[in-house]
Amino acid sequence: MVNKLCFKKLLRLPGTLSTTCSIREYLSIKGCLRMTVSLATQLYSKHMAMALKFLREDKKTAHLFNGSEATEKLTKLINDTFDIMNGRHKGESINGNNWNNLVEMEGKVTKGKKSVLEDMLKIIELTEECHRNPGKRPIMAAFASDTTLDG
């Protein structure tokens, strides 16, 4: 289960991130003001996903981040989706070489861009299903706000 409390715990740790002030402000914003893209991209960044993983695996902080795997995974997926849709030069753009195939980047083999976008689409469809059938929503507080879920 994805939970925004993971982000709040991470941001309470001293010296965790240089952008924590703006992200803290973002987490406290309600309604339409939450659509600030620059702050959202900081929150849903690969560095935030890496921080969640590191803190979950570190003996000193593991108890605070136990169960944060889903939040880490969604954070990385949103980051990767944004990167795919925001490619600014030819090497980052969607093309025949990286659409269906595994792509080697920085010595790592990653999924093709189509697969990443399909994963994001599945998450969006799941969120929409929760909206259509409120009885199937998770018991714990939703990660998405009621404004988002209510469309």
Side-chain angles (χ1 to χ4, degrees):
M1 169 65 57
V2 175
N3 192 335
K4 72 179 178 182
L5 292 177
C6 293
F7 292 119
K8 289 184 176 186
K9 289 177 191 175
L10 190 149
L11 297 172
R12 284 189 200 121
L13 296 174
T16 306
L17 297 169
S18 61
T19 58
T20 54
C21 291
S22 57
I23 295 174
R24 276 190 195 105
E25 292 169 11
Y26 179 77
L27 287 172
S28 65
I29 294 172
K30 304 287 184 213
C32 293
L33 293 176
R34 192 169 269 198
M35 295 183 189
T36 307
V37 174
S38 63
L39 295 177
T41 56
Q42 290 175 30
L43 183 66
Y44 299 107
S45 68
K46 84 174 175 182
H47 292 101
M48 187 68 81
M50 290 167 57
L52 287 169
K53 181 178 182 177
F54 174 82
L55 293 167
R56 186 177 60 251
E57 294 174 352
D58 187 288
K59 291 178 183 177
K60 296 176 188 173
T61 53
H63 65 285
L64 294 171
F65 296 93
N66 186 28
S68 64
E69 292 87 353
T71 305
E72 174 199 341
K73 187 176 177 182
L74 178 66
T75 300
K76 181 157 180 5
L77 179 60
I78 291 172
N79 173 78
D80 294 348
T81 300
F82 186 81
D83 285 351
I84 289 169
M85 301 306 290
N86 197 38
R88 295 184 182 232
H89 58 78
K90 189 175 182 177
E92 294 176 343
S93 65
I94 296 171
N95 59 56
N97 292 330
N98 63 24
W99 181 244
N100 286 314
N101 305 324
L102 295 175
V103 179
E104 185 176 343
M105 292 177 60
E106 300 174 7
K108 293 184 180 180
V109 177
T110 60
K111 294 193 280 187
K113 294 185 178 196
K114 178 182 178 183
S115 179
V116 173
L117 296 177
E118 287 173 339
D119 289 347
M120 189 68 213
L121 184 58
K122 288 176 192 172
I123 298 299
I124 292 168
E125 288 171 347
L126 181 62
T127 302
E128 289 177 348
E129 181 62 28
C130 287
H131 173 67
R132 284 190 294 273
N133 298 306
K136 292 185 177 181
R137 284 187 188 174
I139 295 171
M140 67 184 291
F143 185 79
S145 67
D146 288 336
T147 304
T148 301
L149 291 174
D150 291 339

